[in-house]
Amino acid sequence: MSAQKHRVTLLAGGVGGAKMAEGLAALPDVELSIIGNVADDDEFHGLWVSPDIDTLTYSLADVIDRNQGWGVADEGHRALETLNKLDADTWMSLGDRDFGLHIYRTMRRLKGDRPSVIARDVARSFGIKAEILLPTDDRVQTRVRTDAGWLSFQEYFVRERCAPEVRELVFDGLEEARPAPEALAALRQADLIVIAPSNPLVSIAPVLGVPGIAAALKASGAPKIAVSPFIAGKVVKGPADRMMAALGLRSDAAGVAERYRGLAETLVIDHADAGLADEIRAEGLAPVCSEILMKSGEDKARLAREIVDLAFAPALAEASA
Ligand code: GDP
Ligand code: CA
């Protein structure tokens, strides 16, 4: 095997995205760039919070709370206690260590620094070798329509614990957003583009929806491989299954293929979903079966290895299947 590194660009949301990112980051022959989701961002206590970008950062820096899959391990909540005493809304659980990052990000934003540059600097300070990129430096925010009215994404996700049925999703600011030059470059220069097993509707759609991002992906001649966040018709975590069903979409790996039609050539699905292969092919994606539940670091690196071999050493991937 040559010592040349493969430039891999990953589109990722939070928890599912970070697992895939960790797997790819563990491969010695991969140079990884990750385009994260900023549509979950919101302001709390005057601070700009970027949950999906922070999940990527904390995971790759190995300071993530592994039980929760988000937030920092060994965390305290003294700042939140004070805010609670002061009658502030504290449903968004922000830990003390975490607050430090939000203070820093907000300070840099107030100075006029580009959010992409701030995210890059944070990642470097945390010792991360992969590039963490933003699809846009502009403000894009997911809004969720429920029977009780419109909610911000964090109100829906954290405060209401995804209980209300989702009637409609909109991304405020998406149509006017300008793509970040670093994200466009990462798509242009990629040898392989991977779509993480993230929520297709609220993590991947607002990345691809930034004008210019989907076009750059489509213009790339690199292989494009997506990984299903659904296993046996269920999500591992989160509301993607209920969300897709409530919006009249198929909530299984074939529904994911439908979302990524024309955007990826290959969909990696679980062995449990082998029965959906024909329906996935009908959407124009080639299904590849694997074990796609990632629990340990070994699971993540093994799946990442299979994806990279699928792109660059297909014979090897088949032989080991
Ligand atoms: P969020 O922003 O934190 O909600 O995370 P993402 O959008 O990146 O990922 C959420 C999706 O990750 C859910 O739909 C899960 O089904 C999926 N997911 C979580 N863990 C795994 C895993 O180990 N394997 C696969 N294939 N999907 C996973
Ligand atoms: Ca998210």
Side-chain angles (χ1 to χ4, degrees), residues 2 66 78 120 144 146 160 166 170 180 210 220 289:
S2 81
R66 297 271 167 203
R78 300 291 181 91
R120 182 200 63 194
V144 183
T146 70
E160 305 300 329
V166 173
V170 300
V210 171
S220 160
C289 291

Side-chain angles (χ1 to χ4, degrees), residues 91-142:
W91 51 262
M92 185 72 174
S93 173
L94 300 169
D96 297 338
R97 292 178 191 272
D98 195 29
F99 260 114
L101 177 50
H102 308 319
I103 291 168
Y104 178 80
R105 172 187 295 119
T106 305
M107 180 187 75
R108 296 267 315 254
R109 289 174 72 107
L110 290 173
K111 275 201 224 158
D113 289 337
R114 282 203 297 134
S116 292
V117 173
I118 305 170
R120 182 200 63 194
D121 290 349
V122 168
R124 286 195 185 151
S125 298
F126 273 77
I128 296 167
K129 292 206 181 69
E131 294 280 348
I132 297 183
L133 308 174
L134 309 187
T136 178
D137 288 314
D138 296 326
R139 184 168 171 151
V140 173
Q141 284 180 302
T142 302

Side-chain angles (χ1 to χ4, degrees), residues 13-17 19 52 197-199 203 228-229 235-237 292-294:
V15 175
K19 286 186 179 182
D52 284 0
S198 291
N199 187 318
S203 291
S228 172
V235 287
V236 179
K237 203 172 170 227
I292 64 166
L293 181 63
M294 295 173 275

Side-chain angles (χ1 to χ4, degrees), residues 12-15 37 39-41 51-53 55 153-154 157 198-199 202-203:
V15 175
N37 172 39
D40 288 13
D41 287 20
D52 284 0
I53 302 302
T55 296
F153 185 74
Q154 297 304 333
F157 195 73
S198 291
N199 187 318
V202 293
S203 291

